[in-house]
Amino acid sequence: MRDPIRLFFALAGPIILMITVGYGISFDVDELSFAVFDQDQTPESRRLAEQFTAIAQFAETAPVESLDALEARMKAGALTVALEIPEGAGRMLHQGKVPEVSLWVDGSMPFRAETARGYALGALTRFAAILAEESGTATPSPVTLETRFRFNQAFRSANAMLPSVIMLILILIPAVMSAIGVVREVETGTIANFRSTPVRRVEFLLGKQIPYIALSALAFAALFALGQGLFQVPFTGSLGALTALALLYVCATTGLGQLISTFTKTQVSAVFAVAVISIIPTVNFSGLIVPVSSLETAGRLTGLAFPGAWFQTGALGTFLKGFGWADIGTSAAAIAGFAALYLAAAVAILRKQEP
């Protein structure tokens, strides 16, 4: 009761948990970004496309102009579902033939991809019913739909989950370890050594942080090896880019823990604060459960306010989408900004003189 930080989290913790879990965990599959690649440009092709754009769970985006553009937008996470209508589809429908259209689905989120495929099959069934009513004959299947799952063709959950699990572990363990760094010195009284010497605050903090960064880097190497060896998760991108991103990420996560350590008074309160402040928003809003881009504005901003959401995009991209250095630039810059911000805040809060 005498520690205001512990008292605050004891009272506010349950409320924060309820709000974040209530808003963050949802199994609704909506806001699926959708676009049409219509190479036929006939009234029939537009009618077929309208059946898909009418799906409430599909958020229509600008039409696709080429297969390269489709690939690039899906790789960047700007497109989840795309309908490709080949040239001549309308003419084949008039001739009573069955054209083949393609449905491209981002398979990096298997549950959402399978649900999106179900929505598409429902649209196709409606289209068949409309044609049957107009012609007065049974038209069970006016077109053949071929589904192409991109980036995770084996449709294995482990392929999609492992990069996200690495993101979660590399914020959980490093942040907790570094969170007890400064506060333990305060509890044991050894902080006096820092206060009685000319060591600057930034030097003291970096000296405490660097060993945890090194340990976390080794942990990343072990997790990557487990993913490749034990879980057989394919890796299609640049290992150098992922390693650089992971190093920046552990700099940020250890910095966050150390920042918390500067304003808490006991190790218990520091660990508790790390759990509430960082891990819960990371689990709910970082893309572990649903993509950040499909979250409501408040949830999306909450996710982007922590480094986990930025690392998850880069990790998933390097594992499944062939991301290289150019693709992780934005994420790397954001995570480096978090690392610098946390260190600057910790330097500002840490007291050189005994209060």
Side-chain angles (χ1 to χ4, degrees), residues 325-343:
W325 289 96
D327 300 303
I328 66 163
T330 303
S331 296
I335 295 172
F338 280 113
L341 176 65
Y342 294 148
L343 178 61

Side-chain angles (χ1 to χ4, degrees), residues 4-354:
I5 301 296
R6 292 175 64 181
L7 182 61
F8 170 78
F9 283 109
L11 296 175
I15 298 173
I16 295 172
L17 281 172
M18 175 64 79
I19 293 174
T20 54
V21 172
Y23 276 105
I25 296 180
S26 172
F27 295 101
D28 298 336
V29 179
D30 50 19
E31 293 295 324
L32 295 163
S33 52
F34 171 78
V36 178
F37 181 25
D38 187 356
Q39 302 174 76
D40 195 39
Q41 297 294 332
T42 61
E44 289 76 15
S45 67
R46 284 190 284 273
R47 288 186 68 188
L48 174 59
E50 287 171 0
Q51 299 304 312
F52 286 79
T53 56
I55 298 174
Q57 288 79 9
F58 284 179
E60 187 179 6
T61 61
V64 175
E65 302 297 335
S66 66
L67 281 177
D68 289 340
L70 187 155
E71 178 79 11
R73 288 172 61 181
M74 195 163 279
K75 184 178 178 182
L79 193 59
T80 304
V81 184
L83 177 68
E84 179 189 357
I85 304 176
E87 187 175 357
R91 184 178 65 253
M92 293 181 69
L93 279 173
H94 277 299
Q95 295 173 346
K97 299 179 180 177
V98 181
E100 181 179 284
V101 301
S102 297
L103 185 74
W104 297 74
V105 184
D106 185 348
S108 59
M109 286 280 182
F111 175 71
R112 291 174 63 84
E114 186 60 37
T115 305
R117 182 173 178 272
Y119 291 151
L121 292 176
L124 196 62
T125 302
R126 283 198 304 275
F127 188 57
I130 292 173
L131 292 183
E133 183 178 355
E134 291 177 352
S135 63
T137 58
T139 309
S141 178
V143 298
T144 299
L145 184 66
E146 181 180 351
T147 307
R148 305 173 189 272
F149 292 109
R150 296 290 294 124
F151 313 123
N152 185 12
Q153 295 181 1
F155 221 55
R156 291 181 65 220
S157 295
N159 294 354
M161 288 302 298
L162 188 126
S164 299
V165 171
I166 291 177
M167 176 274 295
L168 183 61
I169 292 174
L170 291 183
I171 194 171
L172 173 64
I173 305 298
V176 169
M177 287 192 307
S178 58
I180 62 176
V182 175
V183 72
R184 184 174 53 193
E185 300 266 2
V186 175
E187 281 189 317
T188 59
T190 54
I191 192 71
N193 296 329
F194 159 65
R195 289 170 175 163
S196 60
T197 61
V199 175
R200 294 184 300 167
R201 288 177 289 183
V202 65
E203 294 171 338
F204 173 75
L205 290 171
L206 286 176
K208 303 290 290 183
Q209 185 180 5
I210 288 174
Y212 293 121
I213 293 175
L215 290 173
S216 302
L218 292 176
F220 163 73
L223 293 172
F224 182 83
L226 277 176
Q228 296 287 285
L230 183 60
F231 296 102
Q232 301 290 312
V233 175
F235 185 78
T236 61
S238 167
L239 180 58
L242 177 62
T243 303
L245 193 67
L247 286 174
L248 288 174
Y249 184 54
V250 296
C251 288
T253 55
T254 53
L256 175 61
Q258 192 162 250
L259 170 61
I260 293 172
S261 183
T262 58
F263 62 80
T264 49
K265 295 183 177 179
T266 65
Q267 297 181 56
V268 173
S269 60
V271 172
F272 193 34
V274 167
V276 174
I277 292 175
S278 64
I279 296 172
I280 294 171
T282 300
V283 169
N284 294 325
F285 303 112
S286 66
L288 180 67
I289 300 173
V290 296
V292 176
S293 58
S294 65
L295 294 172
E296 297 291 335
T297 301
R300 184 165 60 253
L301 293 177
T302 302
L304 295 177
F306 292 89
W310 300 91
F311 180 75
Q312 197 268 352
T313 301
L316 193 65
T318 49
F319 266 95
L320 299 182
K321 299 182 178 181
F323 274 18
W325 289 96
D327 300 303
I328 66 163
T330 303
S331 296
I335 295 172
F338 280 113
L341 176 65
Y342 294 148
L343 178 61
V347 169
I349 294 174
L350 183 64
R351 295 180 179 180
K352 182 66 175 173
Q353 302 296 327
E354 188 174 354

